Amino acid sequence: MPTFQGTVYEETIHSKELNEEIPLLIYLPPAFTTLKKYPVLIAQDGPDYFQLGRLASTADDMIQANEIEEMIIIGISHKRGEDRHHKYHPKGEKHNAYIRFMSLDLPSYVQEKFNTYLLGSGMCLLGDSLGGYVSLRCGISFPRTFGKLIVQSPYVEQQILNDVRSFTGYELLTLYHSVGKEESRFESVDGFIKDFLSPNRELSDWFLNKGFDYCYEEFEGSHLWSDWQVNLRPALKFIYGK
């Protein structure tokens, strides 16, 4: 684990909706104090974002450089493998319970544990691929709870396209959306070739016409942690920049 100016520690919370214990990774910024209010950034695939994406160390560097405001970061863990699919995929058997965990259990924990801004503009969701799908799903389902979103190469299927077209609360959202220019032919671990680029462009075309606080970027790269890691800097700058 890198050396931080801030603090990183582990905690576990019980989810009533999932009926299981959920491990969390928590980053507190430098000079953290309970007397000050902080925005909260919540990351799907928490351990991967902390380790492969270097989320905490990137935020730490940018805070020290006075590029972004201080925030609390909460990384949500899962049991990997099928558990991730069950929770994140729209057809996963735990998906609806996971969405309820995100909208009920987790905000209650945050409000009780930390001195934060009010829900909505004070809470940002971050996710990649299926985690990006979950973050977007929560944002359009509960925009008064999660008012800021960072979605990196999100999984986009027809239902989410239909849902964003019927969504009427765009004025409540701030959204950073990115995808790699080389993601038109991404080979998944199961050997299938998937096109992430085209559906994300279709999603962006819709968002760009809605006139809300939205940034879309196509980065040089593919569906890889090394590319999402680099892309985190402009994403954090857009959401938290000074």
Side-chain angles (χ1 to χ4, degrees):
M1 189 71 72
T3 300
F4 299 101
Q5 295 295 319
T7 303
V8 175
Y9 66 94
E10 298 179 357
E11 187 157 300
T12 300
I13 64 170
H14 178 75
S15 169
K16 294 180 181 178
E17 300 300 328
L18 288 163
N19 191 30
E20 64 180 80
E21 302 301 308
I22 306 294
L24 305 176
L25 276 171
I26 298 173
Y27 164 84
L28 301 180
F32 173 81
T33 172
T34 57
L35 301 177
K36 178 181 176 180
K37 289 183 181 292
Y38 296 90
V40 177
L41 173 62
I42 298 169
Q44 315 294 339
D45 295 301
D48 287 338
Y49 260 111
F50 273 62
Q51 296 166 17
L52 302 176
R54 300 182 183 174
L55 172 59
S57 59
T58 298
D60 208 68
D61 288 345
M62 294 179 75
I63 290 169
Q64 292 297 306
N66 203 34
E67 295 179 50
I68 59 174
E69 63 182 306
E70 294 182 325
M71 85 285 286
I72 295 166
I73 302 175
I74 299 175
I76 307 171
S77 300
H78 50 69
K79 299 172 185 175
R80 300 191 177 276
E82 292 186 359
D83 188 58
R84 182 180 190 269
H85 186 274
H86 290 329
K87 291 173 178 173
Y88 288 8
H89 196 280
K91 295 182 180 179
E93 61 184 44
K94 297 181 181 179
H95 182 67
N96 291 334
Y98 187 77
I99 297 298
R100 294 195 302 272
F101 157 73
M102 288 293 301
S103 62
L104 298 172
D105 296 337
L106 192 59
S108 295
Y109 162 80
V110 170
Q111 293 294 96
E112 292 173 5
K113 181 76 174 181
F114 301 109
N115 187 10
T116 67
Y117 294 110
L118 294 175
L119 298 178
S121 62
M123 292 184 71
C124 178
L125 296 183
L126 164 64
D128 66 281
S129 196
L130 275 175
Y133 170 89
V134 167
S135 296
L136 182 58
R137 164 65 61 203
C138 288
I140 63 173
S141 299
F142 309 100
R144 296 186 185 278
T145 301
F146 307 110
K148 296 182 178 181
L149 307 172
I150 299 172
V151 292
Q152 296 182 296
S153 309
Y155 170 67
V156 177
E157 39 78 80
Q158 191 58 51
Q159 186 59 54
I160 197 71
L161 289 171
N162 294 341
D163 290 344
V164 299
R165 288 167 182 153
S166 62
F167 178 60
T168 58
Y170 284 102
E171 72 282 358
L172 299 172
L173 292 181
T174 297
L175 172 57
Y176 179 90
H177 172 201
S178 64
V179 67
K181 294 179 181 179
E182 300 172 18
E183 293 194 57
S184 60
R185 288 185 57 81
F186 169 71
E187 184 174 355
S188 63
V189 293
D190 52 16
F192 291 98
I193 301 297
K194 297 182 180 181
D195 178 8
F196 278 82
L197 183 57
S198 298
N200 271 280
R201 284 177 170 172
E202 183 177 354
L203 184 66
S204 176
D205 287 342
W206 177 262
F207 284 150
L208 287 168
N209 287 324
K210 302 310 292 183
F212 69 110
D213 195 7
Y214 173 67
C215 178
Y216 175 69
E217 293 188 357
E218 293 185 1
F219 54 81
E220 298 293 338
S222 188
H223 205 76
L224 300 169
W225 274 109
S226 56
D227 297 319
W228 294 325
Q229 175 193 325
V230 174
N231 181 243
L232 274 176
R233 285 188 173 270
L236 293 174
K237 186 72 173 179
F238 179 75
I239 297 294
Y240 296 112
K242 290 188 173 182

